[in-house]
C-alpha cells in the first residue's frame, strides 16, 4: 500500500480537498487508515482505480 493524504489525492485528481473528503464520507473513495489528526489516508491503487472509473463515466 502506498499511502496518500487527502491533499495528495486532491492534487492527483485535480479537485479540491473538500471534494475528496465528501467522496470519503459517501464511501465513493474508501480510506484505508487515519493519520494522527483523524484525516483519512488512502491507498494510491484505490485512488488510481477511482480516477479511471470516474473518467470513463464522464469526469471527476
Amino acid at each position: 500500500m502506498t499511502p496518500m493524504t487527502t491533499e495528495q489525492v486532491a492534487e492527483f485528481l485535480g479537485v479540491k480537498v473538500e471534494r475528496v473528503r465528501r467522496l470519503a464520507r459517501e464511501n465513493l473513495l474508501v480510506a484505508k487508515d487515519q493519520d494522527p489528526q483523524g484525516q483519512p489516508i488512502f491507498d494510491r491503487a484505490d485512488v488510481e482505480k477511482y480516477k479511471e472509473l470516474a473518467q470513463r463515466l464522464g469526469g471527476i
Side-chain angles (χ1 to χ4, degrees), residues 14-50:
V15 298
K16 294 181 181 181
V17 172
E18 293 80 23
R19 175 127 186 201
V20 175
R21 289 184 184 134
R22 184 179 59 84
L23 291 171
R25 217 177 24 251
E26 295 175 353
N27 292 319
L28 296 172
L29 194 57
V30 180
K32 295 293 183 184
D33 203 359
Q34 288 187 347
D35 67 9
Q37 291 80 30
Q39 296 297 319
I41 301 291
F42 302 93
D43 181 18
R44 183 172 187 88
D46 291 344
V47 174
E48 290 170 349
K49 287 178 188 176
Y50 172 79

Side-chain angles (χ1 to χ4, degrees), residues 2 4 8-9 12-13 28-30 42-56 60:
T2 304
M4 294 179 77
Q8 290 171 326
V9 173
F12 181 76
L13 296 177
L28 296 172
L29 194 57
V30 180
F42 302 93
D43 181 18
R44 183 172 187 88
D46 291 344
V47 174
E48 290 170 349
K49 287 178 188 176
Y50 172 79
K51 183 175 182 177
E52 181 180 329
L53 176 64
Q55 288 174 335
R56 285 185 189 177
I60 295 175

